[in-house]
Amino acid sequence: MDFTLSLDPNAAIPLHQQLYDELRRSILTGRLLPQQRIPSSRSLAKSLGISRTTVTQSYDRLLSEGYLETMRGSGTYVCSQLPDELLHSTPIQPLAKQPYPPIPLSQYGNDLAQAPFQLLKEPDQPICFRYGRPAFDRFPLKLWRRLLSRQSRTTGWMDYATDMQGYQPLREAIAQYLNRARAVQCTPEQVVITNGTQQALDLMMRLLIEPGDTIALEDPSYLSARRIFLSHGAKLLPVPVDEFGLQVERLTKQENKPIRLVYVTPSHQFPTGATLSLPRRLELLAWANQQNALILEDDYDSEYRYGDRPIPALQGLSQGQSVIYIGTFSKVLFPSLRIGYLVLPPNLVSVAVQAKWLSDRHLPILDQMVLTDFITEGHLESHIRKMRSYYDQNRQVLVQALRMHFGEQITILGEKAGLHLMVRLRTNLSDAEIVQFAAQAGVGVLLAQPHYLFPADRHELIFGYGELNPTQIQTGIAQLAQAIGFRTSDKAASSPNRQIFPLKAPYQPNFGVEIGHMECRRGNVAASKPDP
Amino acid sequence: MDFTLSLDPNAAIPLHQQLYDELRRSILTGRLLPQQRIPSSRSLAKSLGISRTTVTQSYDRLLSEGYLETMRGSGTYVCSQLPDELLHSTPIQPLAKQPYPPIPLSQYGNDLAQAPFQLLKEPDQPICFRYGRPAFDRFPLKLWRRLLSRQSRTTGWMDYATDMQGYQPLREAIAQYLNRARAVQCTPEQVVITNGTQQALDLMMRLLIEPGDTIALEDPSYLSARRIFLSHGAKLLPVPVDEFGLQVERLTKQENKPIRLVYVTPSHQFPTGATLSLPRRLELLAWANQQNALILEDDYDSEYRYGDRPIPALQGLSQGQSVIYIGTFSKVLFPSLRIGYLVLPPNLVSVAVQAKWLSDRHLPILDQMVLTDFITEGHLESHIRKMRSYYDQNRQVLVQALRMHFGEQITILGEKAGLHLMVRLRTNLSDAEIVQFAAQAGVGVLLAQPHYLFPADRHELIFGYGELNPTQIQTGIAQLAQAIGFRTSDKAASSPNRQIFPLKAPYQPNFGVEIGHMECRRGNVAASKPDP
């Protein structure tokens, strides 16, 4: 062969791979022509000063992939099937030397590409008050594995699903559970199984929202939900919350603005922890009926209520007409199970089932079978009962520790339910300083700030207490108080403004005012700057 | 109480539920007013002639849900928090009596709602030649369950994923496997884990396609892929296939039509089984580069090739620039695992990872861990080797049986790879008759017809041979021949037209000709009626 092969015996890539790459490139770029004979492995090995095995390895691969062919008794040739005009007109260059061509994206893709998001950085200190996490070490893992083992014994779970809506026995178990425990009024035919709350929200966006449609939502509210809304080009109308949850009258006064959807977390407002009062629930439902708006009820951790009497789900109050109910097993069982569900108004079921199937067909069937057993054999409700008293203990320890160490410096919010509570600090530290000083003292804390539509120092922390034990909680709060308590100035601590709700100044969301700092699209938040 | 309660002791609904419903409705409709005292359970039971337990059950539920409240020592009252003007202005009616209001949908939702699809009906005869299914009874289930048990012992798999792209060790294992076995050139950073091929396709549509964009695809082609394309409003440009796969020159002649994406199954064209030849691969890649079009390479069952030498994946030939490679474990392992993957051009990775996370966060981590072990411990490739020889045997038995029983009446296509082959029958039976007569003889067969863009009698059957054993295959084909062989007229059997490829008449896809019968949108297929 009259061309050089540049092999580097010191490179990380093995010689046979280098040789294969070089020969392949030579064929594809036309340096070696179709039907051209190539040297025998013996002579090439000799001329390159490498072992014959190395050459044979490369040849074998090129033969098996159709670049080379052998003719009986007459040696090895470049495959004749390669049309040479093609090879000459578009030589293929090695990957590294060619700049990647830009790929045109859809509007959805462009919006994502222009403002990529990253996951919130989770703390990794010795004691971390992460939220949204159950107590993994209290999960009945042995039992779960026994059910897993039992259901996986035969092959019945391995084929494609035949029920597009989700595993039928699971839908029945969920409907019964929701009727019993949450006063949700539904049949199994209204339940659609999803990959967690995330997919439930995304499916609803796909089916209900066109770019520019308005979604009203609590402010603060669940950041991940907001990201999904924004990725679909929705305009967001933030509505403030107080100790009774969403300030419904602020929403209902927006009468000349068409609002397509209202996203609420009525059982345990995220992250403030408020419970939407019954009068407000009824008011919200009446408004939605009148406006032909839909309510997205995200009931992410309603299973855990402490002392308080439960308030029926919006879905049950509405008799299922204008409410889309979203539930998940991420908090009562574990997040990586990836099973959630939608409870839909009857005439939204069919189209949602189709959208779910088109998105990804169905969830693994084995997990759905195991979860069904877990519910129908009574383990779910027994687990919830046990965990309720466990979390309640953690919660009391946390509240006590906070009161003891911070006293007048803090206000505790939303401690009556769920797996987290919120703390409003009276401090003149910045949010960044709070996190930094806490981290230095070995305590990971998370701010409420990212869940607000407008970035500002809020002096609010979300304390998850699901994962920790009482000792960790006590130690963590003591260390935190040492780290940030003494830095809080007397002035801040003694300031007369102890009023938490309602907010001081009127909070007036204005349509049309464009805010430039959002994660995705520009101009899709309709609100003026809120009160500090 | 001065109003009647209409309870029906003979109804299917238990009395306590009826009473609860009636009281709740009375409260919500204002028949019972806030702060109104209601009778004691004892006196109501007496006046209604039912047991006191029944009444207590209803009261307890209404109390726990906040409709009633008790005042110490003075009885039970309707909750005072209910704002009565609200209750009067929007009385809530019982579900059955109220028509469901229509729910306005997005364009995507409307398209789905207007032309809902259903799953292809699968046969359920004693012997069914279903395709797309591996041999479940040959799966190393014990081994899989051992890995499952090993990985689930601790709680490390239960939390949310921290890697948005998919479990890192799995991405590494897949990249290595693809390099080894499929000549796919990629790093783990180009791999995105998805819920099977279905989600991979849907994500690509979301990121790359706007309604009205044109997607070229093989005709016939995979029905489920087509449904996804149509659901995104794509215009479809069908390109015929022959024994070398997609007729690339028919595609490349469409030079003045902007084609965004080409969807191909080059390893084993679905359903004809053709393998795209190397010259055509190179021609397709050159065209895509020149047009700045992308190629979607769906490599659904390429692991199984019999005798033939493999041809490298388009992705590897292109050096990953214009090819999106889609793989799945549904065929080599099992479908309900719901794990597939995308291998992406480097500058499409970031946005795809974001879209995947927004869609449903991530897959269950335990399954990804088990699959990683299965690959890295060598079980995957050993399983594929074993199954290749098993399927090869089935395939040979099937081909032999078909030749023996049908002889000149059939042509066998695409038998050199995969888990199915296609049979073109020379018959004057209609497609419906073929299926019907086969079913009557206890044999389930599936038509190729739904995978074509244009409905017509094709006399083509797809025979899956993954699930059956040799005896079932022989018996099934013998019974099938009895059922439909003798009904095939002499005229059809002796007709001189034995030519399979190329198709008789020129197949001219015309842009702008609108076809009205598609599943989803109107007018999104750009082609004239093809040859019969």
Side-chain angles (χ1 to χ4, degrees), chain A residues 104 106-107 206 210 260 316, chain B residues 24 104 106-107 206 210 260:
Chain A
S106 65
Q107 184 64 45
R206 293 177 80 168
E210 285 292 330
R260 186 74 200 86
Chain B
R24 180 173 172 281
S106 66
Q107 185 63 45
R206 293 177 79 166
E210 285 292 329
R260 188 75 201 84

Side-chain angles (χ1 to χ4, degrees), chain A residues 24 64 67 81 104 106-107 117 130 133 145 149 159 195 206-207 210 260 279 312 316 354 360-361, chain B residues 24 65 81 104 106-107 117 130 133 145 149 159 195 206-207 210 222 260 279 310 316-317 354 360:
Chain A
R24 180 172 172 279
S64 81
Y67 292 98
Q81 282 194 338
S106 65
Q107 184 64 45
F117 65 87
R130 300 199 306 171
R133 302 314 206 289
R145 292 174 74 230
S149 174
D159 202 353
N195 304 353
R206 293 177 80 168
L207 290 176
E210 285 292 330
R260 186 74 200 86
Q354 303 230 326
D360 63 358
R361 290 187 177 232
Chain B
R24 180 173 172 281
E65 292 178 359
Q81 283 195 338
S106 66
Q107 185 63 45
F117 66 87
R130 300 198 307 170
R133 300 317 206 287
R145 291 172 73 230
S149 173
D159 202 353
N195 304 353
R206 293 177 79 166
L207 290 176
E210 285 292 329
Y222 181 43
R260 188 75 201 84
L317 287 170
Q354 303 230 327
D360 62 358

